[in-house]
Amino acid sequence: MDKTPLAPGFPANRPRRMRYQDFSRRLMRENRLSSDDLICPVFVIEGQGQQENIASMPGVSRLSIDLLLKEAEALLKLGVPAIALFPVIDPSQKSDTAAAAFDPNGLAQRCVRKLKTEFPELGIITDIALDPYTSHGQDGLIDSNGYVLNDETVAVLCQQALSHAEAGADIVAPSDMMDGRIGAIRSTLETHGFINTRILAYSAKYASSFYGPFRDAVGSAANLGSGNKYSYQMDPANSDEALTEIALDLQEGADMIMVKPGMPYLDIIRRAKDRFGVPTFAYQVSGEYAMLKAAALNGWLDEKQVVLESLLAFKRAGSDAVLTYYAKAAAQWLQESR
Ligand code: PBG
């Protein structure tokens, strides 16, 4: 920085010059958000023409398959590349063994088959975890003390992932945090010929209180009761541990990794991207949606502006794509501003 000193009283540099007009702000913009970056999570229920509101997530509903197809078509038209399915299982189908999780005619499997038939170009991501199917609301099988059993759970997760791949899922996304599940699922898929089924590993999934509205939405909150997931999901205090989890999942064959929740964990996204440089996704979870929505509904925040800012922040932090309940709205806003 060998510069002729300016007369005293003038700043040597004026970063504001570049911000002075829109054209130079655009030229120096480092990150951009597009509909290509968005993945829309959707809650599905049995029935026809059914749409149920979720009290803690205004604007998000549970949809029966026929309405899911309409939603998928709308998302596809808006340029959203993929959706993530979350089935809401009738309490009568829940059990200690979570057998409904790998039923070839289960709700998730039927959704996948329908979607792939109607919209083959839309990426379908399915959740691999047992919480929608267990009578106790945990992500895995439990012993008599309520402890979530690792290896026994992994065996069921493999059956679940295989049933989703058989139905046509493009990406299976284990969100359960059992040890060794990525390797086990990968080898199950490979040995059954599903060599192109991608695995999106929820590698750094924290034991977060931001999941509350999701548990209402899928109806696992009542089953879980006062239970918690501290013995398998990560401690929000930890950061190095996230890198260990990600390294293991990559060694075991993950194609993409996920950090979850999103906004409070942007530091983890940045560390993950810097260290591994692999496709890195983030999940702006239900509680984050609820916060933004509540403030917007109260007129306290400008919804469009804060949502697009929050999603851009994910890009800046290093995520390639974001799962967000705002996917459709954001894609619409982005389309309008083009
Ligand atoms: C469960 C699962 C959860 C979410 C996605 N998959 C909740 C949990 O771990 O209890 C949360 C998503 C959200 O809050 O939007 N396997």
Side-chain angles (χ1 to χ4, degrees):
M1 291 284 267
D2 233 353
K3 274 196 164 178
T4 319
L6 294 174
F10 294 95
N13 291 293
R14 291 190 187 271
R16 289 186 56 193
R17 254 181 231 126
M18 285 299 286
R19 298 180 206 134
Y20 175 49
Q21 284 165 300
D22 186 54
F23 85 85
S24 54
R25 287 195 294 269
R26 274 158 52 214
L27 285 173
M28 71 179 289
R29 190 158 292 149
E30 297 173 40
N31 292 285
R32 283 190 167 74
L33 180 72
S34 95
S35 59
D36 287 338
D37 303 315
L38 305 173
I39 296 168
C40 189
V42 220
F43 299 108
V44 266
I45 48 177
E46 296 285 2
Q48 269 285 120
Q50 299 294 313
Q51 173 161 10
E52 295 173 1
N53 295 334
I54 301 157
S56 49
M57 300 181 77
V60 177
S61 1
R62 308 180 188 95
L63 303 174
S64 55
I65 300 186
D66 53 325
L67 299 183
L68 165 71
L69 292 174
K70 292 212 165 70
E71 184 73 356
E73 187 174 19
L75 288 162
L76 196 58
K77 284 210 177 104
L78 285 165
V80 173
I83 65 173
L85 295 175
F86 293 98
V88 180
I89 303 301
D90 191 86
S92 68
Q93 299 289 305
K94 301 191 184 196
S95 67
D96 285 351
T97 57
F102 52 88
D103 177 353
N105 278 314
L107 179 57
Q109 292 82 353
R110 273 181 282 128
C111 286
V112 173
R113 255 185 258 120
K114 272 263 187 232
L115 282 164
K116 284 322 283 185
T117 312
E118 300 269 337
F119 309 110
E121 65 278 42
L122 181 67
I124 305 299
I125 304 174
T126 59
D127 198 59
I128 305 301
L130 304 183
D131 52 316
Y133 307 94
T134 51
S135 34
H136 44 71
Q138 294 289 357
D139 288 21
L141 307 180
I142 57 172
D143 68 12
S144 53
N145 300 315
Y147 181 74
V148 175
L149 297 162
N150 195 84
D151 301 7
E152 293 80 351
T153 297
V154 170
V156 183
L157 296 174
C158 287
Q159 294 186 71
Q160 184 184 25
L162 182 59
S163 75
H164 290 181
E166 281 167 348
D170 301 293
I171 300 178
V172 292
S175 70
D176 56 286
M177 290 299 278
M178 297 301 112
D179 295 329
R181 90 277 206 218
I182 301 299
I185 291 170
R186 177 57 78 209
S187 85
T188 303
L189 292 172
E190 288 282 335
T191 53
H192 287 82
F194 294 102
I195 62 164
N196 284 323
T197 306
R198 278 133 281 182
I199 300 180
L200 165 60
Y202 284 73
S203 303
K205 177 168 177 179
Y206 287 87
S208 172
S209 298
F210 283 99
Y211 307 150
F214 174 96
R215 293 179 190 169
D216 295 336
V218 298
S220 65
N223 300 79
L224 194 60
S226 60
N228 62 62
K229 302 189 178 183
Y230 299 144
S231 82
Y232 47 105
Q233 297 180 347
M234 280 179 48
D235 183 341
N238 296 351
S239 173
D240 290 343
E241 190 188 7
L243 302 184
T244 306
E245 283 282 3
I246 293 166
L248 290 171
D249 287 353
L250 290 171
Q251 275 163 26
E252 292 176 29
D255 301 290
M256 296 153 274
I257 58 104
M258 176 114 82
V259 174
K260 177 184 176 187
M263 293 194 291
Y265 296 83
L266 294 182
D267 57 319
I268 308 298
I269 299 172
R270 171 47 62 199
R271 288 193 78 191
K273 191 64 175 181
D274 284 348
R275 172 77 67 96
F276 301 103
V278 299
T280 301
F281 293 7
Y283 199 146
Q284 184 175 51
V285 299
S286 56
E288 301 176 63
Y289 174 86
M291 286 197 298
L292 291 165
K293 193 53 137 186
L297 288 174
N298 275 293
W300 297 336
L301 289 173
D302 178 329
E303 187 174 32
K304 172 179 167 180
Q305 297 302 334
V306 292
V307 168
L308 291 178
E309 180 180 332
S310 74
L311 296 174
L312 184 62
F314 283 104
K315 297 290 293 178
R316 193 195 62 238
S319 52
D320 297 292
V322 189
L323 277 96
T324 172
Y325 300 96
Y326 272 113
K328 190 177 175 191
Q332 261 153 357
W333 287 325
L334 290 166
Q335 193 174 61
E336 287 160 16
S337 63
R338 257 212 310 262

